[in-house]
Amino acid sequence: MIKPWVRYEDIEEKRDGYYIHYSPVFTDAEFAILKIYIYEPSLLNNVKNIAELELGSWAVRYATPIMVMVDNKVPGSNLRTKDLIGHNYLLGYAKSNEIVSYWDAYPKNKIPEIDLSKASLALIYSGLSLRTYEDVVIEQRSEAKGRKLLLLIMTLWLCVIPALIAFLGWSNPIVSFLALVYSLYLAFKKARELWGHTKKTEKQIAQEKEDLEKEHHHHHCKSNPEAFLLLKSENFKKETLEKERLKIESMRN
């Protein structure tokens, strides 16, 4: 059985040359996560100071242990935090108005002893929106009811109604005649399309073109699956880079 949990809303803030994403302590976790995304090249030499400064600020703001991670988003630079400062991440917390922080690991006598129970976190994060396990269960039940209703409607439309029409057509001459006329109309309409007497709409033409392109692409993807996988990987990288570029641009403004 899944243990009930509470998730508090993440916080994102702009800075000059970088931005912050803070994820509060999740139920039964040991620390909050603070990610620093650097996008100005001039700040790469100051990563250590930025991480320590932000840790101090957030540890006072929300009195929990924090893990700080730095992500280099400078275009053209592949340097990781380890490459820049010789460490992977920063750990720390506030104690008696002082900031305790260590890179990579705490000494045994400095491991934080902070109450991170649900009641304590409710006080620490009292100003933040939250989402609970119970909320998710209620949403899932509501979505399940919606899917069942849709399934019922589709069953009536695709199964029950055609069966009823077939039965009435067999037992009622009027319904049978109407069904015959409708079938003849569909056949006549299809024949006109096949012989080119019916002008296709722009939407139909566009759909046929799209279907043809899909078949063409599918054929070549099956013919050369290795190249297809490589193309997928390249497209994913391009999409990721574009999302990062747009994110950085939004942070500059």
Side-chain angles (χ1 to χ4, degrees):
M1 181 178 179
I2 299 177
K3 186 176 180 180
W5 45 261
V6 178
R7 182 186 294 278
Y8 293 91
E9 66 173 325
D10 290 0
I11 302 172
E12 192 169 81
E13 293 184 356
K14 298 180 182 180
R15 300 287 191 269
D16 290 333
Y18 65 96
Y19 63 96
I20 302 291
H21 191 98
Y22 176 83
S23 298
V25 179
F26 187 69
T27 302
D28 293 334
E30 298 179 355
F31 46 75
I33 297 178
L34 181 66
K35 292 185 178 179
I36 302 174
Y37 297 92
I38 307 285
Y39 58 82
E40 284 295 343
S42 60
L43 297 181
L44 290 180
N45 293 328
N46 200 31
V47 167
K48 188 173 184 294
N49 291 334
I50 291 173
E52 292 173 349
L53 178 65
E54 291 292 347
L55 170 64
S57 174
W58 288 88
V60 171
R61 186 170 171 181
Y62 298 112
T64 73
I66 300 176
M67 173 185 281
V68 181
M69 294 182 287
V70 180
D71 194 348
N72 177 14
K73 295 297 182 183
V74 174
S77 175
N78 296 319
L79 295 175
R80 301 169 300 173
T81 309
K82 182 78 171 180
D83 302 321
L84 294 168
I85 54 178
H87 301 283
N88 291 310
Y89 49 81
L90 178 64
L91 302 172
Y93 55 94
K95 182 178 181 181
S96 301
N97 296 323
E98 293 185 1
I99 303 301
V100 178
S101 64
Y102 292 92
W103 286 94
D104 297 331
Y106 291 111
K108 289 185 178 180
N109 62 337
K110 295 295 183 179
I111 295 176
E113 296 179 359
I114 299 176
D115 181 9
L116 298 178
S117 64
K118 285 185 179 180
S120 178
L121 291 176
L123 294 174
I124 294 171
Y125 296 128
S126 59
L128 300 181
S129 300
L130 58 87
R131 183 178 174 85
T132 67
Y133 170 77
E134 290 77 11
D135 293 333
V136 174
V137 170
I138 292 173
E139 289 177 8
Q140 289 177 340
R141 288 175 179 172
S142 178
E143 291 174 358
K145 288 180 180 179
R147 287 193 294 269
K148 287 182 180 178
L149 178 60
L150 178 61
L151 181 60
L152 177 60
I153 294 173
M154 295 299 292
T155 301
L156 287 172
W157 183 254
L158 298 176
C159 302
V160 177
I161 293 177
L164 181 61
I165 292 175
F167 172 75
L168 292 175
W170 172 75
S171 62
N172 188 309
I174 296 177
V175 175
S176 178
F177 174 74
L178 292 175
L180 175 62
V181 171
Y182 182 65
S183 298
L184 290 175
Y185 164 73
L186 293 179
F188 176 72
K189 183 180 178 182
K190 191 64 178 178
R192 284 178 59 84
E193 290 179 3
L194 293 174
W195 286 90
H197 296 305
T198 300
K199 186 177 180 180
K200 296 180 181 179
T201 64
E202 291 183 3
K203 184 177 180 180
Q204 289 175 320
I205 295 173
Q207 185 62 50
E208 289 182 358
K209 182 179 179 181
E210 183 178 348
D211 292 341
L212 184 62
E213 289 177 349
K214 286 181 179 179
E215 292 178 5
H216 181 72
H217 293 159
H218 181 64
H219 168 72
H220 286 286
C221 290
K222 289 185 67 176
S223 301
N224 194 343
E226 293 81 8
F228 174 62
L229 291 175
L230 181 60
L231 178 63
K232 281 179 61 178
S233 177
E234 290 177 352
N235 287 341
F236 178 75
K237 290 179 181 178
K238 288 180 180 179
E239 290 173 2
T240 301
L241 290 174
E242 179 62 14
K243 288 180 180 178
E244 290 179 355
R245 186 189 68 79
L246 293 174
K247 183 69 173 181
I248 291 172
E249 286 301 317
S250 70
M251 290 297 162
R252 290 182 189 275
N253 299 328

